[in-house]
């Protein structure tokens, strides 16, 4: 293997350099202009949702906090940056800052598993300007991707119902080995039952789940004589694993298995269909194997699950890969909203941001989302509703203070439970797969006033 290929392997110690160049050049500029230590606030949010989505499920906070806790630059990394020649004019203090780098700021965030909407911050960083700037790329990377996967998993769970088994099979389609681990975590936190990714499952304290591939059937059939031999061999070692029955003739395989079950020659826990007309095939399999669990796979997503349900497919569970771990991204952004107590905003066409440190105020009535307000921190929005209400939940909570994490990492079961409750609280039209509509969200009076004032000062 070439030396440069070996160097592309990634370890947590590399994460501080896993950033865009302009983060570092801007930090050097801040140092030169002597504003690097000014207290800055950046918020991470999505201006709009992916097409067809009515909500997002916030995810990735745990990995973001782990990154901030380990934020460092080694002497080798500093030397590597110097060797590029790009920073030849950077002030000496820039290098000393990197050498002593440590995140010392505060973090506010919505808990993982919370449903959020456009312009609502998932996370806010309050730190010296140079620190808050340098962490942008990694935070967007982990939060955008995990939020996408968790949202898709939550939508699939919502459509499939609680009794349907949902397995994450996306490792081979995820965009990198690291992404496959994040996808498995986010899928489980979004409501899926298990993952086929062995490393992710073991790291997360879960049992991996899976079936078999066509290769085993073809290999043993070729060597030992028949598809039946392949089924026998796999059952010999893994008697509880579902059998993949569509390698050759799905119905012929089903009849064979049904006869053997009827004669008491084998016990069969499940079968998997990976191709063909899943509605017709599943119905015919059910008629022949009425007590056997039927799994389906092959480019499954929430719309396909909904279609199969409408057409009365007899499917008990799904293995979901490509359509879960890929797709239109969550286009979260990370914008400066305040520096040294001075509110700032972006006012470009189609990319306006709201100034100031913000809070999301959520009003629930009988566990159902009634109204969201996007306002300033510690603002009283109770008198802005009709009728007035005092019952608002503040979604953003402080999770880091002066660089120290304030809370223990939540387990996936707790996050998955929050996801389920959060999705169940949304209006049906927001959960819909067809032209979903956003629930009502108002901009608070004080935030509107601050936005107009800030906009006027910058014109």
């Amino acid at each position: 293997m070439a030396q440069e290929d070996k160097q592309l392997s990634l370890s947590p110690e590399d994460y501080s350099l896993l950033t865009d160049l302009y983060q570092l050049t801007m930090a050097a500029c801040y140092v030169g202009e002597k504003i690097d230590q000014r207290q800055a606030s950046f918020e991470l949010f999505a201006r709009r949702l992916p097409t067809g989505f009515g909500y997002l499920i916030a995810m990735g906070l745990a990995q973001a906090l782990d990154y901030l806790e380990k934020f460092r630059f080694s002497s080798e990394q500093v030397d590597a940056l110097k060797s590029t020649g790009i920073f030849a004019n950077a002030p000496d203090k820039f290098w000393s800052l990197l050498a002593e780098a440590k995140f010392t700021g505060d973090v506010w965030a919505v808990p993982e598993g919370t449903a959020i909407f456009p312009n609502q911050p998932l996370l806010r960083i309050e730190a010296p300007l140079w620190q808050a700037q340098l962490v942008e790329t990694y935070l967007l990377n982990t939060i955008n991707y995990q939020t996408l996967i968790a949202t898709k998993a939550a939508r699939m769970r919502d459509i499939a119902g609680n009794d349907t088994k949902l397995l994450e099979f996306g490792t081979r389609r995820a965009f990198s080995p690291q992404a496959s681990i994040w996808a498995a975590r986010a899928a489980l936190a979004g409501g899926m039952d298990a993952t086929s990714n062995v490393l992710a499952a073991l790291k997360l304290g879960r049992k991996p789940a899976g079936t078999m591939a066509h290769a085993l059937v073809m290999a043993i059939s070729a060597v030992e004589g028949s598809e039946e031999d392949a089924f026998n061999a796999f059952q010999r070692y893994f008697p509880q694993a579902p059998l993949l029955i569509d390698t050759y003739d799905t119905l012929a395989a089903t009849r064979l298995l049904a006869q053997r079950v009827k004669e008491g020659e084998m016990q069969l826990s499940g079968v998997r269909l990976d191709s063909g007309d899943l509605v017709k095939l599943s119905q015919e399999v059910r008629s022949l194997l009425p007590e056997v669990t039927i799994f389906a796979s092959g480019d499954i997503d929430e719309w396909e699950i909904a279609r199969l349900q409408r057409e009365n497919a007899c499917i008990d569970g799904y293995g979901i890969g490509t359509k879960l771990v890929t797709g239109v991204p969550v286009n979260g952004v990370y914008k400066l909203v305040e520096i040294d107590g001075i509110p700032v905003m972006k006012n470009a066409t189609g990319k306006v941001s709201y100034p100031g440190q913000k809070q999301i105020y959520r009003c629930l009535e009988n566990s159902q989302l009634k109204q969201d307000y996007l306002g300033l921190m510690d603002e009283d929005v109770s008198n802005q509703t009709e009728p007035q209400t005092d019952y608002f939940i503040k979604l953003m909570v402080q999770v880091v203070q002066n660089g120290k994490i304030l809370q223990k990492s939540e387990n996936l079961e707790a996050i998955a439970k929050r996801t389920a409750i959060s999705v169940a609280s949304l209006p049906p039209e927001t959960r819909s797969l067809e032209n979903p509509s956003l629930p009502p969200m108002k901009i608070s009076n004080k935030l509107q006033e601050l936005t107009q004032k800030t906009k006027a000062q910058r014109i």
Side-chain angles (χ1 to χ4, degrees):
M1 182 183 291
Q3 182 64 28
E4 58 268 25
D5 291 331
K6 292 180 180 179
Q7 292 174 346
L8 285 177
S9 60
L10 192 64
S11 67
E13 291 74 27
D14 296 319
Y15 285 168
S16 295
L17 282 184
L18 187 60
T19 188
D20 293 303
L21 175 63
Y22 73 4
Q23 312 291 9
L24 288 159
T25 55
M26 285 190 288
C29 185
Y30 296 153
V31 174
E33 296 301 303
K34 297 181 174 55
I35 63 170
D36 53 290
Q37 298 299 331
R38 299 290 182 96
Q39 194 71 9
S41 294
F42 285 78
E43 291 181 346
L44 192 159
F45 60 95
R47 291 193 182 95
R48 59 192 64 87
L49 306 184
T51 301
F53 282 38
Y55 61 90
L56 294 176
I57 296 296
M59 200 62 61
L61 177 61
Q63 284 64 50
L65 297 185
D66 183 61
Y67 161 75
L68 293 173
E69 189 176 39
K70 297 174 181 176
F71 182 72
R72 302 285 190 280
F73 288 90
S74 68
S75 58
E76 291 80 10
Q77 289 173 325
V78 172
D79 290 341
L81 286 174
K82 288 180 177 179
S83 71
T84 66
I86 295 171
F87 299 89
N89 295 324
D92 291 340
K93 185 187 174 185
F94 172 66
W95 302 113
S96 62
L97 273 184
L98 294 189
E100 301 168 3
K102 181 180 180 182
F103 182 75
T104 60
D106 298 346
V107 180
W108 290 72
V110 298
E112 291 186 291
T114 302
I116 56 96
F117 308 101
N119 295 308
Q120 295 183 341
L122 286 80
L123 172 146
R124 181 172 59 254
I125 299 291
E126 302 172 6
L129 177 59
W130 74 276
Q131 293 181 23
Q133 187 71 70
L134 280 182
V135 300
E136 172 183 2
T137 300
Y138 189 93
L139 295 181
L140 285 171
N141 182 277
T142 185
I143 291 176
N144 279 343
Y145 186 62
Q146 288 201 55
T147 295
L148 171 66
I149 306 307
T151 305
K152 290 170 75 70
R155 283 156 58 89
M156 293 176 193
R157 171 56 69 199
D158 192 30
I159 294 300
N162 293 330
D163 296 331
T164 301
K165 205 79 169 177
L166 297 180
L167 307 180
E168 187 273 316
F169 282 1
T171 297
R172 65 187 63 191
R173 299 287 189 265
F175 297 134
S176 72
Q178 177 64 80
S180 74
I181 302 294
W182 284 352
R185 176 188 185 270
L188 294 173
M192 303 194 86
D193 295 290
T195 176
S196 66
N197 187 312
V198 177
L199 178 61
L202 296 180
K203 282 181 173 290
L204 295 168
R206 296 293 189 92
K207 182 185 292 187
T211 58
M212 60 191 292
H214 296 105
L216 182 139
V217 177
M218 291 187 288
I220 296 180
S221 296
V223 173
E224 298 186 7
S226 71
E227 186 177 33
E228 183 177 5
D229 291 323
F231 293 154
N232 290 339
F234 197 67
Q235 273 228 320
R236 190 175 303 126
Y237 306 107
F238 305 100
Q240 297 304 313
L243 299 177
L244 181 60
I245 60 174
D246 69 337
T247 305
Y248 304 119
D249 184 325
T250 302
L251 292 182
T254 305
R255 293 188 190 100
L256 168 69
L257 293 172
Q259 185 63 31
R260 296 198 61 194
V261 169
K262 181 179 180 181
E263 294 175 356
E265 295 179 4
M266 71 182 305
Q267 292 183 334
L268 183 61
S269 64
V271 296
R272 176 163 70 99
L273 303 171
D274 190 53
S275 60
D277 184 335
L278 293 179
V279 173
K280 182 178 180 181
L281 286 174
S282 66
Q283 291 171 345
E284 292 178 321
V285 171
R286 173 70 79 232
S287 69
L288 292 166
L289 294 167
E291 305 299 325
V292 172
T293 299
I294 301 173
F295 286 93
S297 57
D299 290 335
I300 303 292
D301 60 14
E302 55 266 51
W303 287 278
E304 179 65 359
I305 293 173
R307 181 190 74 82
L308 292 169
Q309 289 179 332
R310 285 195 308 271
E311 297 180 16
N312 299 313
C314 298
I315 297 173
D316 305 298
Y318 297 91
I320 305 170
T322 304
K323 297 291 184 70
L324 173 65
V325 303
T326 64
V328 179
V330 170
N331 192 21
V333 296
Y334 182 84
K335 296 301 176 185
L336 182 68
V337 297
E338 186 177 288
I339 182 165
D340 257 5
I342 304 168
V344 298
M345 63 180 290
K346 184 174 180 178
N347 198 31
T349 301
K351 294 187 175 182
V352 174
S353 61
Y354 291 103
Q357 297 179 351
K358 291 176 284 299
Q359 177 61 272
I360 306 165
Y361 301 89
R362 177 157 295 173
C363 179
L364 297 171
E365 188 175 270
N366 297 322
S367 300
Q368 297 298 296
L369 192 154
K370 181 180 179 182
Q371 178 78 65
D372 270 1
Y373 274 83
L374 184 63
L376 299 176
M377 291 293 288
D378 299 322
E379 181 178 355
D380 182 7
V381 299
S382 62
N383 58 0
Q384 300 177 38
T385 63
E386 290 293 340
Q388 291 190 15
T389 178
D390 294 325
Y391 185 57
F392 278 97
I393 300 172
K394 295 181 180 180
L395 294 189
M396 298 194 74
V397 296
Q398 188 168 11
V399 293
V400 176
Q401 186 175 44
N402 298 326
K404 302 294 183 183
I405 296 177
L406 298 179
Q407 63 182 31
K408 293 182 179 179
S409 180
E410 291 186 288
N411 60 44
L412 288 179
E413 289 76 12
I415 300 172
K417 183 177 180 180
R418 182 181 297 117
T419 299
I421 293 172
S422 196
V423 172
S425 75
L426 303 178
E429 56 271 23
T430 298
R431 296 160 64 176
S432 173
L433 298 183
E434 303 301 328
N435 301 313
S437 60
L438 298 175
M441 185 187 82
K442 293 185 178 180
I443 306 303
S444 73
N445 295 340
K446 286 189 176 181
L447 181 54
Q448 289 187 55
E449 293 170 4
L450 181 64
T451 299
Q452 293 305 317
K453 181 179 178 181
T454 304
K455 188 183 296 185
Q457 290 174 342
R458 299 293 176 260
I459 296 176

